[in-house]
Amino acid sequence: MGTSVTIGVIKRVIRMPVRTARSHGKWAREAATQGGAFFIDLNEIVARRYDAAGQATVHAQYFTPADHTHTNQAGADFNAECVVEGIRALADTRLAGYLLNTPARVH
């Protein structure tokens, strides 16, 4: 039997802080709860790391000057790391055991 996981959305970085308790993230959490799935609050994981880095660093390293919604390659790698962090934090599932300790970068 598979493991159902719902992953919350990443909010656009127009201004910081980027946390949101309403709309998509809230609905994703509710859907996961109603469906008996695990939930990864990706918005919270990303927001915590963005807050630590600061808005100027986040914009310079993870986004292009023309776009505050779609990340560059470094931002995509960052988001993937956040998903892995969320998977590793899930309790009562063996899913994290399928992750590599030192992942190889794929291009």
Side-chain angles (χ1 to χ4, degrees):
M1 182 173 210
T3 301
S4 297
V5 178
T6 301
I7 299 176
V9 298
I10 302 170
K11 190 165 170 48
R12 294 182 300 165
V13 181
I14 298 171
R15 63 190 170 280
M16 292 179 75
V18 295
R19 286 176 180 83
T20 181
R22 300 186 334 228
S23 71
H24 298 93
K26 179 180 180 242
W27 300 329
R29 182 184 298 278
E30 290 171 354
T33 300
Q34 290 174 10
F38 290 97
F39 179 71
I40 295 173
D41 191 346
L42 193 56
N43 183 60
E44 178 59 32
I45 295 168
V46 170
R48 187 175 58 245
R49 291 172 124 196
Y50 278 179
D51 288 347
Q55 187 165 355
T57 299
V58 168
H59 279 280
Q61 289 184 1
Y62 304 132
F63 295 88
T64 65
D67 194 349
H68 63 305
T69 302
H70 304 99
T71 63
N72 57 25
Q73 183 64 51
D77 292 344
F78 173 88
N79 289 334
E81 290 172 6
C82 291
V83 171
V84 169
E85 179 182 328
I87 291 171
R88 291 191 192 284
L90 293 175
D92 301 324
T93 179
R94 298 181 314 196
L95 190 58
Y98 293 98
L99 298 173
L100 297 174
N101 289 328
T102 308
R105 187 165 180 166
V106 179
H107 289 280

